[in-house]
Structures are given as C-alpha cells and as structure tokens.
Amino acid sequence: MRNFDETTITNAVIERLAGTSDPRIKQVSEALVRHLHAFVREVRPSQKEWEYGIDFLTRTGHMCDDKRQEFILLSDTLGVSMLVDAINHPVPDGATETTVLGPFFVQAAPEKPNGEDISGPMKGDPMLVTGSVASADGRPLAGAVVDVWHSDDDGYYDVQRLEQIGDLAMRARFRTDADGRFHFWSIKPAAYPIPNDGPVGEMLAAQGRHPWRPAHVHFMISAPGFERLVTHVFVAGDQYLDSDVVFGVKDSLIRAFARCPPGRAPDGRMVTDGYFYLNYDFGLKQLAHGADQA
Amino acid sequence: MRNFDETTITNAVIERLAGTSDPRIKQVSEALVRHLHAFVREVRPSQKEWEYGIDFLTRTGHMCDDKRQEFILLSDTLGVSMLVDAINHPVPDGATETTVLGPFFVQAAPEKPNGEDISGPMKGDPMLVTGSVASADGRPLAGAVVDVWHSDDDGYYDVQRLEQIGDLAMRARFRTDADGRFHFWSIKPAAYPIPNDGPVGEMLAAQGRHPWRPAHVHFMISAPGFERLVTHVFVAGDQYLDSDVVFGVKDSLIRAFARCPPGRAPDGRMVTDGYFYLNYDFGLKQLAHGADQA
C-alpha cells in the first residue's frame, strides 16, 4: 500500500487495523481514524496549523500533574465529559440526575461523623447541608457512602490552596444513618473560574468564552447494589447557571440555599449566626443483577 | 442553556462558540466539536474508557521532550500527518512528491561542502548520494539549501544516540553548485522501528501493527521563490515499503541504492571498498507570486 492521496489514506489506515485482535479496540480505532480524518479533510489545516495542534496537545499534557488535569478540563469545556455522562447515565424515574466529576475529587478524603463542620480553617458564610439517600423507588438506604467536596468563598478548592491551608478542607466522607440520612456543616461555596492559565484557558479566550462555573456542592454516593451517583447540587440564582463552562447544569440539580436566621437549625443545633441551608434527597439507580460499576 | 442530553449538547457547545472573533478559530472549533461528539456518540465510551483516553493523552504529553515528540508519532501512525501533507501539497508535473517530516529533523545541522563524508564516527556500508535541484519546468537551481538526515546501520538517528556518539552525524546542510547539483558520502541507512516504548507503541501493539519504517534518506530543500520540499528517498526492495507504519511511501520516491564495486566513483573519488550509490533529481514547485511558505 503506497501513493495515498487525501481520500485513499483513510481506508489505507483502516485496512492496517485489520489485525487488531480485541474487537472493541478495533471498533474504537476505526471510528477514531474515520472521524479524525473527516475533521482534517473538512478544516484542511495548513502545515503551521497542524504544528500548532501538536504543540497545543503537548502543552496540555505538560500541564498535567497530580494536582491538575488539563485534558479533563479540555474534555469538560468541549462538552465531551457531559456527553459521555449522558451516554452512560440514562436516568430512570426517581433517580437523581448525574453531572461531571470534575478535576477536584480526592480519593483520600477523611470520613467524618454526621453533623461535623468540615470547613476547617476556611472563613465564609456558614452552611448546613442535610440530605437523604434512597433507592429510585423510595426505600431509604442506610450506610450509603456520601463523598462531598466544594469550593470556598473565593471559588478555590482545598487542593488548590494546600500550601496555605495545610490540610484538606470542605471535603469529607459521611455515611447515611438508619433512616438513610446525613448532614454536615461547612461554608457556602462560590462560583469560580476553572483554572485558565493553561492551553484550555487560551482556547476559551480565543473562543470568547468565560471560564466560570456556577456555585455548587459535589456529591458522590455509593451503596452496594446501586450505580454510583456522581453529581452536584447548584445554588439557585447563580449568574452562571445558563453558561456553565462545562455544560453541567440540570434543572433538577438546582436548589435554593435558603438564608436562615440565628436560632435552632434543622439538625437541632443552636446557632448564633445566620446560615444558609441546603437539603437534597438523592435517589440511586439499582444495578442490573451481576452488573459491575461502569 | 441547561439539561443537555446526548443529542442536544453538541449544538449547545457550538452555540457557546458564537463569540469567537477569529473566523478561522471559529470554523476549526465548530468542526472539532461536531466531529469529536460524532466519534463519542458512535463508540459510546464507558466512563472507564473515557478515563483511559484521558490517561493515554496525558501519558503521550508526558513522553514529549526536546528529543521525543510522541504526539507527532501519534499523528504519523494514525495517517493524519500524511493526510495533512496531501492536503497541502498537490503536486504539479515535474515537482517531487512530498512525505512526512518525521520527528528527527534538527534545526542546527552543520553546513558542509559538497563531497564531504557526513557519517562521523558511525560504521556501515559506504553510500554516495548525488542529486540535482531544479524548478518543476527543469531550470537548475544554484544555491538551493539541501538538508539531509538519515538513520545508521541499526536504524537509529544521531539524536537517539547522542550520549554515545557525542555529536550530530549523518545529517548536514549542503548548497547546490552552479549546475544545481550536490553530493555527499555517508553510510547506507537501515529500516527502523519508530520509538515504541510509549503510548504510541502500546497502541500499535494493541492494533497488531509492526512499528517499522522502510530505509530512507530525508531531504528538505529550499530555494527563494519555491515551496520548501520535505521528502524522503526510499531504498528499493525494502521489506517495509508496503507497510510503512506512517504511510509515507510513494513510488516516485523509491530508488535503487545501487551496489557499486571499488574504483572511481561518479563524483570522481577513488574508493577502495564497494559502496551504494543513490542519485535523485528533485523538482521544486514555484510559489505563487507573493505567497509565503505554508
């Protein structure tokens, strides 16, 4: 096989994949070649534009380390992450809708008892979060694992300020009680720009796009026999709900974070300052018998 | 804009690009989103497969440094580099066909007088290369700059063995004489596998593909008023001519590297060992008036 031109090269590459033994790798490789070549044939990049593309991807890779994942940001800002999420999570009645994991989840968040204040050294408006976890048909799930994480008042996550604050904060793992309920205190998160000092920020600027996400609290909830739920709850009224840079907002995930006066809070605690209050009732989707987490 | 599903998200992302001021960036961004989403919708990656993709790209980026360009290898092995080359170099009568630049070109190769042996400390079968540079309509071009580079007897380039050999070798820059001719001595290059200890090697293995390129000498030829020519000349009879891992072979670029006995060589030099002899006559394409190098 020789002498390829701009139309014959695509089949030549696909023929070269004939020896791929794993059928899924073969399918994905063939589709990648077809779609990638179709993109190149449509935009007809000059040699200099191709070099820019190589350099953009290289710089994106070099930006990635254990605290920064620039390729996830690229996937998020091109709508690919939410597309993959939509493909994998058709939501049945009663189950909570999903959204992107984002780049700020940490595996080793500390487990805390219900009621704990997880704001650590961070200052901000106090926030009480209460919630419940149930099956999609309404059966409360005791002992479900509830990972939560959110930004501070300035829109930064703990991992972005670890040198200043010294330890993880505004993130923890809780377990639901016998009634399937959990609750904790923290500070109210703010809207924030995704890290935009790298290639993705350069792309957003060239596309005339702002880098902001509306304020939200992340939840990841697991219970045996149920699909792991990865989602956020967004703050109603946030100015970026309709222009989330990662396309993650769904109406069913927006809640008022109600401003409450000092006094006895819904968790029974007496508080001397005003606070914001969020409650969300989560529904998990049952796994098909024998199915594994995707 | 909220509540996207797997079909509505594509237009949502494209609408977000409405503020892109540069029309070319807008065009490329829109096409990228359409083709990338179409690929994702076709292959329906699981969350784990998406994570593998993110990790593959990240490792590809981390593999890149000033001596290794893994994203170019990826582009080459997926046929994208030759596709971009084909788009940019429709070849008129009389001009030499082009092929990929490859990752082993070095800007700072030393300029050498015609006739020089550029093999440096490398051992191998002696090779004489003679050639001419002319316009596509046959007018000899004096003073054209001819960059050449090739692999050694084992298939390695100097930059891959720089710690062992200490300096650049098997690469140089020549200028054509008054008749548009150049010539030099070196050693005959061998076929070689592209570097396959990274993500691209992993991909080739999964696709059941060998990583070999047929033996060749690289040429990059520039003359004022002409399109810069980037090409190779391949060794006739090489076992990989029909399965070049980067799809770069064209029949018009294959030449016998003729085995010659000791005696007076075509450049007038008396040689006591047998040698291989390559001659190639290159044709350059005239630039449109006022056009710049692509």
Side-chain angles (χ1 to χ4, degrees):
Chain A
M1 300 195 297
R2 312 172 186 173
N3 305 313
F4 310 119
D5 63 27
E6 71 174 82
T7 53
T8 59
I9 189 157
T10 305
N11 277 337
V13 181
I14 288 172
E15 281 171 30
R16 199 70 66 81
L17 303 172
T20 311
S21 55
D22 182 300
R24 178 62 173 162
I25 294 177
K26 188 173 185 185
Q27 178 192 24
V28 173
S29 298
E30 287 181 359
L32 176 65
V33 168
R34 263 189 288 108
H35 288 282
L36 190 55
H37 283 214
F39 165 64
V40 171
R41 257 192 300 273
E42 180 178 332
V43 304
R44 307 187 73 74
S46 69
Q47 207 70 36
K48 273 186 185 155
E49 288 175 329
W50 172 83
E51 284 166 21
Y52 178 85
I54 294 289
D55 182 60
F56 182 90
L57 291 168
T58 304
R59 288 187 291 121
T60 301
H62 285 170
M63 204 83 195
C64 296
D65 58 28
D66 56 352
K67 294 211 189 82
R68 174 85 171 252
Q69 228 309 344
E70 193 78 359
F71 274 116
I72 290 185
L73 289 180
L74 186 61
S75 169
D76 290 354
T77 52
L78 291 175
V80 171
S81 305
M82 279 306 290
L83 174 55
V84 172
D85 183 70
I87 286 169
N88 283 284
H89 299 101
V91 176
D93 287 347
T96 302
E97 289 196 285
T98 55
T99 189
V100 288
L101 176 67
F104 297 119
F105 174 67
V106 169
Q107 289 289 351
E111 184 154 347
K112 296 278 172 72
N114 276 300
E116 189 97 347
D117 187 330
I118 63 170
S119 59
M122 311 310 292
K123 304 291 171 218
D125 294 321
M127 169 179 75
L128 170 63
V129 177
T130 65
S132 66
V133 180
S135 61
D137 57 4
R139 191 164 36 91
L141 297 175
V145 173
V146 181
D147 278 294
V148 303
W149 66 106
H150 65 81
S151 73
D152 68 17
D153 220 11
D154 295 324
Y156 288 100
Y157 286 81
D158 53 358
V159 290
Q160 296 175 286
R161 297 187 147 182
L162 219 44
E163 285 173 21
Q164 289 160 256
I165 65 178
D167 204 357
L168 298 177
M170 307 171 296
R171 75 173 68 234
R173 168 172 287 190
F174 298 96
R175 280 178 198 273
T176 54
D177 63 19
D179 299 324
R181 297 200 59 84
F182 66 92
H183 69 283
F184 65 92
W185 287 83
S186 191
I187 54 169
K188 185 166 175 267
Y192 60 85
I194 60 167
N196 61 347
D197 56 341
V200 170
E202 183 184 297
M203 179 188 80
L204 294 175
Q207 293 169 341
R209 295 166 60 183
H210 72 67
W212 288 81
R213 301 211 63 204
H216 58 272
V217 178
H218 290 263
F219 292 90
M220 183 159 80
I221 304 181
S222 310
F226 292 86
E227 233 177 57
R228 190 181 67 183
L229 172 66
V230 175
T231 196
H232 319 338
V233 179
F234 295 92
V235 179
D238 190 288
Q239 65 171 309
Y240 299 112
L241 286 173
D242 281 305
S243 64
D244 181 6
V245 69
V246 309
F247 308 93
V249 179
K250 292 171 178 174
D251 284 325
S252 71
L253 301 175
I254 301 172
R255 286 290 180 277
F257 283 51
R259 184 186 291 271
C260 301
R264 190 167 301 275
D267 70 337
R269 180 163 149 186
M270 278 299 300
V271 289
T272 54
D273 294 316
Y275 62 95
F276 289 89
Y277 175 42
L278 163 68
N279 180 74
Y280 200 98
D281 298 311
F282 296 91
L284 300 195
K285 187 179 166 187
Q286 196 127 16
L287 278 175
H289 185 68
D292 198 0
Q293 294 290 352
Chain B
M1 300 195 296
R2 313 172 186 173
N3 304 314
F4 310 118
D5 63 26
E6 71 174 81
T7 53
T8 60
I9 188 157
T10 305
N11 278 336
V13 181
I14 288 172
E15 281 169 31
R16 199 69 67 80
L17 303 173
T20 311
S21 56
D22 181 302
R24 177 62 173 162
I25 294 177
K26 189 172 184 185
Q27 179 193 21
V28 173
S29 298
E30 288 181 0
L32 176 65
V33 168
R34 264 189 288 106
H35 288 283
L36 189 55
H37 283 214
F39 166 64
V40 170
R41 255 191 301 273
E42 179 178 331
V43 304
R44 308 187 73 74
S46 69
Q47 207 69 37
K48 272 185 187 158
E49 288 175 329
W50 172 83
E51 284 166 22
Y52 177 85
I54 294 289
D55 181 60
F56 182 90
L57 291 168
T58 304
R59 288 187 290 119
T60 302
H62 285 171
M63 203 84 195
C64 295
D65 59 26
D66 57 351
K67 294 211 190 84
R68 174 86 171 250
Q69 228 310 343
E70 193 79 359
F71 274 115
I72 291 185
L73 289 180
L74 186 60
S75 170
D76 290 354
T77 52
L78 292 175
V80 171
S81 305
M82 279 307 289
L83 173 54
V84 171
D85 182 70
I87 285 169
N88 284 284
H89 299 100
V91 175
D93 287 347
T96 302
E97 290 197 284
T98 54
T99 189
V100 290
L101 177 65
F104 297 118
F105 174 66
V106 168
Q107 290 289 350
E111 184 155 346
K112 297 276 172 76
N114 277 300
E116 188 96 349
D117 186 330
I118 63 169
S119 60
M122 311 309 293
K123 304 287 171 222
D125 293 321
M127 169 179 76
L128 169 64
V129 177
T130 65
S132 67
V133 180
S135 61
D137 57 4
R139 191 164 36 93
L141 296 175
V145 172
V146 180
D147 278 294
V148 303
W149 66 105
H150 65 81
S151 72
D152 67 18
D153 218 12
D154 295 324
Y156 288 100
Y157 285 81
D158 52 359
V159 291
Q160 295 175 287
R161 298 187 147 182
L162 219 44
E163 285 172 22
Q164 290 161 256
I165 65 177
D167 203 358
L168 298 177
M170 306 171 295
R171 74 173 69 233
R173 169 171 285 189
F174 297 96
R175 281 180 197 270
T176 54
D177 63 18
D179 300 324
R181 298 198 59 84
F182 66 91
H183 69 284
F184 64 92
W185 287 84
S186 190
I187 55 169
K188 185 165 176 268
Y192 61 86
I194 60 167
N196 62 348
D197 57 341
V200 171
E202 185 183 297
M203 178 187 81
L204 294 176
Q207 293 169 342
R209 294 166 61 183
H210 73 67
W212 289 80
R213 299 212 65 206
H216 57 272
V217 178
H218 289 265
F219 292 89
M220 182 159 80
I221 303 181
S222 311
F226 292 85
E227 236 179 54
R228 189 180 67 182
L229 171 67
V230 175
T231 197
H232 318 337
V233 179
F234 294 92
V235 179
D238 190 288
Q239 66 172 308
Y240 299 111
L241 286 172
D242 281 305
S243 64
D244 181 6
V245 68
V246 309
F247 308 94
V249 179
K250 293 172 177 171
D251 283 325
S252 70
L253 301 175
I254 301 173
R255 286 291 181 277
F257 283 52
R259 184 185 290 272
C260 300
R264 189 166 303 275
D267 70 336
R269 181 164 149 183
M270 277 301 299
V271 290
T272 53
D273 293 316
Y275 62 96
F276 289 88
Y277 175 43
L278 163 67
N279 180 75
Y280 200 96
D281 297 310
F282 296 92
L284 300 195
K285 188 179 166 187
Q286 197 128 15
L287 278 175
H289 185 68
D292 198 4
Q293 294 289 352

